Every structure is written in C-alpha cells, then in structure tokens.
Amino acid sequence: MTNSALLMHADSVRDADLFVATGLAITDPFCYLEHGSRRVIVTSTLEADAARRNSRATDVLTNDAFGIRELLLGGMEWDAAEMEVIARLLEREQVAQVTVPPRFPLATADFLRGRGVEVAVDTEQFEDRRRVKDEHALAGMRLAQHATEQAFARVRELLGGSSPGPDGLLLEGELLTCERLRDEINATLHAHGCGGEEPIASAGPQGANVHEHGEGPVRPGESVIVDIFPQHVATRYCADMTRTFCFGPAPEWLTHMHVTVYDALRRSTEAIAAGVAGRAVYDVACNVIEAAGYRTSRTAGSGEALDEDFFHGLGHGVGVDVHEAPGMGLGSSSTLRAGDVVTNEPGVYRKRLGGVRLEDLLLVTESGCENLTSFDYELEITP
C-alpha cells in the first residue's frame, strides 16, 4: 500500500480545490485521486472525453470501469454507488490512507473508513496548493480587475451625471438608487466577460453594515460604499476592490474617515512583503486608525461586541474564490508568500452616519507587493 494520497469528490464548478487541481469546470460530482506521479479522474462517460482533452490528469477513467451500471441495476442508489466506485478505485490503486479537504462529503468519509481506509482532513495543505498564483491565474485576475475598474468608472459616471433632488439624486429625471448602481455594475462586468456574486452599492448609514448590498436612493453629502468582487468567466479567477464616494462636498466626519482609511491603506500596503506576518500588516493599519481616534478590534474591551469603527479583518487571499487564504486580521497566523494575491481593505464606520472602506488587490513579491489596482481614491464627485 502507498503512503497517504489526496482524494477529492465534488463538482469542480463550486469546489475551488478540485478546479485548481484538475483545470476542469464540471457541474456533476466526480472523483480525483492524486498519489505519487499519478493524477486519476473517475467521471461519467458524459464528461470523460472532455476530461481527457482539458484536464491535468494522467489517467481519466469512467464509473463504468468500476461497475457502476451493474450496481445501479442491482438496486443500489446513485450516491451509494458513487461511494462504492471510490472504494474500488482506492483498492485498485492500493491506497489505504487519504487526505481530504475540509469540504469532503462526511458520508463518503464515513463509508471509506468503514471499508478500512484511513481518512484525514488537512485544511492547510489544500489552502497551500491554491495560494501562490501562476501566470495563468494572474492573467485571469488582471482581466477581472480590469472589468472591476470599468464598473467603477461607470459608477462615477452615473454619480457625476446626477443632480440633487428633493428625495435624493436625480439621473435622467429618475431617482438614482443603490439598485440602479448595481444593475449598471453588473451590466459592465458582463460586457467584460465577468459574473459572480452580487456587488455592494450601499449608501448612507446602511454602509456601516459592511456586507449589506444597499437599497434605496443615493443622497448628496453621504457616503456611498461600492465593493465589487467579480469572477472572470473564462478563467474562473476573481478580483476584489472597494471605493467610497460622496456626491458633492463631503461633511467633515466623512472627510476625516476617508483621510484616515486612505492613510491606513497606504501605510499597511508598504508593510506587505514575502515573509511578513499577516497579523503584523493588520497591526500597521490599526496603529493609524487608532491614532486618528477610532477603535479597532484589538482595543475593544473584554466581551465587547465592536460593530463600529474598524471591526473587520484587514484583508484576505483571492483566487478562484473571492475569499481564500491567507488572512490579515486579528486572529491571523499566516505568513505572506511571494505569489500570494491579497486584498487590503481597511474601513471605519458609524451606525448613524455610514462609513468608508478602501480596498486594493495586491500581488505579494519578495521585496514588497505589486498593486494590481490602478483606480484612484477620490472621495468627492461633482457634477
């Protein structure tokens, strides 16, 4: 029997670990086994030819090779038959120990253990396989980032083309709403080959609820937090960027927040390089924000649930998923590596007012980082 092998069973459209391992985007679950120099895919006959053409596998086999049709004809349910196929694959490959990702199906793990296979979960190993981005990944991320910046340019165009009205900004005779901003963002992303999760366009006090998508009219003199995190459809790699806008002159509180957050972004970006702890970068941002008179998670009192000022992590990895390792936050134990792509997104918020968040996408290098974001940080937009 061999030493522990890597085993995955999922669909590679939703499972980033499997997509990165195989290069395939298949909507139905399939099995992938990696041991020694062998990369084995077991899938249906429907997907087998495409897997042979497009995957990184050394061997592509079908479920029929392991008797799935006979199992089904004998009355076995599909899910049970798939688990039996995996067990037969491991027996054929003489694998008695497997390492699986944290999202591996529990029922399958229990079934394999019942057949004498040792199954161990290793989150870090699978995260590590996706962290350092190759040129293909970076090309996809640059395309996603370009689309993101085009969407931000459209937001600025819409805000700049508006005028104050009694109930909010008017654009072409109609109220400019958060919903309209999102529709225009999505249309721009689609035109540049991107899709993904719904962006955030959150105006006024609702912006203090960091992940609230936003609804209702946009008004002069309030913060408008726009956070766009698309996936480039062809490559499946993502980008992530945030800016904060204000139509017309910004009130003093908003200007102070923006200056503080921009300085925290700039200073913490300067601290990023291979070998630097993610927590250390977070601390740099906290130093700036605390010096400006705001609270952070590291200064909150024992048992206090901080939900204003700076109360979220500073950044995270980006890849096939928008949120990946490594992290840069209060509880981060990660050390940055050359080839990591991370966000840097300090923010300050007040519930009754709104807030400011600025976010760039950064490629970590040995000596620092390359900023993949080229969009400016201007707060005020005048017609």
Side-chain angles (χ1 to χ4, degrees), residues 75-86:
M76 187 176 286
E77 294 291 335
W78 177 263
D79 289 348
E82 278 195 311
M83 289 189 282
E84 178 62 31
V85 165
I86 295 171

Side-chain angles (χ1 to χ4, degrees), residues 18-353:
L18 189 53
F19 173 78
V20 171
T22 64
L24 291 174
I26 294 178
T27 56
D28 291 328
F30 64 96
C31 178
Y32 174 75
L33 178 69
E34 186 175 309
H35 67 116
S37 61
R38 288 172 59 73
R39 309 286 185 270
V40 183
I41 287 175
V42 179
T43 186
S44 68
T45 53
L46 185 68
E47 305 288 359
D49 285 343
R52 293 185 182 104
R53 289 193 308 270
N54 302 319
S55 78
R56 303 186 182 100
T58 58
D59 298 88
V60 176
L61 308 171
T62 68
N63 292 325
D64 290 331
F66 296 91
I68 195 168
R69 193 163 63 90
E70 289 75 18
L71 294 172
L72 296 172
L73 287 171
M76 187 176 286
E77 294 291 335
W78 177 263
D79 289 348
E82 278 195 311
M83 289 189 282
E84 178 62 31
V85 165
I86 295 171
R88 291 180 180 184
L89 168 67
L90 297 180
E91 183 179 354
R92 168 175 161 164
E93 297 290 327
Q94 295 187 308
V95 170
Q97 299 174 327
V98 293
T99 300
V100 301
R103 288 175 287 190
F104 190 81
L106 177 60
T108 306
D110 286 344
F111 176 83
L112 293 176
R113 289 174 177 134
R115 295 286 288 269
V117 178
E118 182 180 329
V119 181
V121 178
D122 190 335
T123 301
E124 185 176 355
Q125 181 174 175
F126 284 92
E127 287 181 344
D128 286 351
R129 288 160 61 87
R130 291 163 50 192
R131 278 185 56 173
V132 175
K133 306 303 188 292
D134 60 18
E135 287 305 316
H136 170 74
L138 288 173
M141 299 183 81
R142 292 180 195 277
L143 289 169
Q145 179 61 30
H146 175 72
T148 302
E149 296 189 21
Q150 294 301 303
F152 272 100
R154 180 58 178 153
V155 170
R156 178 171 280 165
E157 180 182 8
L158 293 168
L159 290 169
S162 300
S163 58
D167 299 313
L169 296 181
L170 294 174
L171 178 66
E172 300 168 348
E174 296 183 357
L175 272 177
L176 179 63
T177 63
C178 297
E179 292 88 343
R180 170 74 185 275
L181 291 178
R182 277 201 304 279
D183 286 346
E184 295 282 350
I185 290 167
N186 284 326
T188 303
L189 295 174
H190 182 74
H192 288 81
C194 289
E197 299 180 36
E198 190 75 358
I200 293 169
S202 192
Q206 61 191 326
N209 301 320
V210 176
H211 286 158
E212 187 165 327
H213 286 101
E215 61 181 17
V218 179
R219 297 179 175 85
E222 67 181 7
S223 62
V224 183
I225 298 176
V226 180
D227 190 345
I228 306 176
F229 32 92
Q231 184 179 64
H232 184 248
V233 174
T235 65
R236 295 198 63 222
Y237 282 91
C238 299
D240 197 359
M241 173 183 162
T242 305
R243 291 291 185 266
T244 302
F245 303 111
C246 176
F247 179 92
E252 184 177 351
W253 67 266
L254 181 53
T255 299
H256 187 266
M257 278 188 181
H258 196 271
V259 168
T260 299
V261 172
Y262 174 71
D263 194 30
L265 175 68
R266 181 181 59 82
R267 296 274 298 278
S268 55
T269 296
E270 291 171 352
I272 289 175
V276 175
R279 170 63 195 266
V281 182
Y282 167 79
D283 284 337
V284 171
C286 287
N287 290 341
V288 174
I289 292 169
E290 290 164 10
Y294 300 100
R295 297 165 296 169
T296 72
S297 295
R298 71 179 189 176
T299 60
S302 177
E304 180 182 2
L306 187 66
D307 61 357
E308 290 189 315
D309 295 5
F310 183 38
F311 61 95
H312 55 71
L314 180 65
H316 54 81
V318 181
V320 174
D321 285 339
V322 176
H323 293 91
E324 297 189 347
M328 297 190 298
L330 184 66
S332 173
S333 60
S334 301
T335 299
L336 299 177
R337 303 174 187 169
D340 281 337
V341 175
V342 298
T343 65
N344 189 3
E345 50 181 314
V348 173
Y349 316 87
R350 290 288 165 86
K351 290 286 188 182
R352 64 182 182 86
L353 298 172

